[in-house]
Amino acid sequence: MNGSQPATDLTTVLAADHRQLDRLCTELELGQGSPENRKDLADHLIAEVVRHTVAEESFLDGGDRDLAEADRLMRQLEGAGPQEPRFERLLGGLIRAVRRHVRGEGPEAVRQVRLACSPERRSELGEQVVAARDAAATLPHPDLADRMPQADQLWPGPGFVDRARAALCPPDDGARSASG
């Protein structure tokens, strides 16, 4: 890799998250697809924001106002149907909060990790984030819904944000600190 950071370096993982969140926001801003398809894409954005937030919160001190605003909007959005007028209003607010994070606090968080952690620690933390994501339940493809017990699905709807967060944050995981 000749001096470049490994794919599991936490700064690389977080920066890749920012690019993915930005792409999802752009796709939603294009406004294409049926309301149901937009709801599915919004649910995907919510799942990605939760995953990213958990990764940043787990290893950084202090809060991010934009991610806190996104969390508030995601909780409201999870109860809104795609045909409801408030759906697009809430989705627009979520996109704006995510964009502010991606362009403001997000890069600062990456810089904080770079300054606070050795390359070895960043690699270790990045591996932990990737492993947590791989182990967490994800949204099943709609075609699997009739073949997978509901208890095993991380389905969208009321409580989706909390279920996604719980899947990514096992109790007493001991990985809540960037020091080490």
Side-chain angles (χ1 to χ4, degrees):
M1 288 193 151
N2 290 354
S4 66
Q5 297 169 338
T8 56
D9 182 293
L10 183 58
T11 59
T12 304
V13 172
L14 295 177
D17 282 357
H18 294 149
R19 288 188 301 275
Q20 173 67 7
L21 292 171
D22 195 50
R23 281 191 294 270
L24 288 169
C25 288
T26 297
E27 192 171 343
L28 282 162
E29 286 171 332
L30 292 175
Q32 299 174 338
S34 70
E36 291 75 20
N37 287 344
R38 289 183 55 70
K39 175 69 170 162
D40 289 344
L41 187 56
D43 288 340
H44 183 66
L45 175 64
I46 289 170
E48 292 300 321
V49 169
V50 169
R51 286 177 175 200
H52 178 72
T53 301
V54 167
E56 282 195 0
E57 284 178 349
S58 295
F59 307 110
L60 300 174
D61 293 328
D64 179 316
R65 288 187 310 257
D66 297 321
L67 288 179
E69 174 71 2
D71 187 75
R72 183 185 67 76
L73 289 164
M74 289 186 303
R75 290 172 191 282
Q76 292 176 19
L77 190 59
E78 70 188 9
Q83 304 288 351
E84 295 179 50
R86 69 185 183 123
F87 176 82
E88 289 297 331
R89 178 181 49 80
L90 292 168
L91 182 57
L94 175 59
I95 290 169
R96 285 187 297 278
V98 169
R99 290 258 197 226
R100 284 190 309 267
H101 169 74
V102 165
R103 295 186 176 141
E105 294 294 323
E108 179 57 28
V110 171
R111 280 189 290 278
Q112 287 178 17
V113 169
R114 191 171 288 122
L115 292 171
C117 300
S118 69
E120 295 78 18
R121 181 66 174 148
R122 290 193 316 256
S123 181
E124 178 184 316
L125 294 173
E127 288 173 10
Q128 290 175 10
V129 168
V130 171
R133 288 179 181 176
D134 290 347
T138 58
L139 287 173
H141 188 281
D143 291 342
L144 296 178
D146 60 345
R147 292 181 272 158
M148 180 181 288
Q150 191 173 31
D152 294 339
Q153 296 180 26
L154 185 58
W155 47 273
F160 175 52
V161 172
D162 291 328
R163 288 191 307 278
R165 184 176 288 278
L168 289 163
C169 296
D172 301 319
D173 66 355
R176 302 286 302 175
S177 171
S179 62

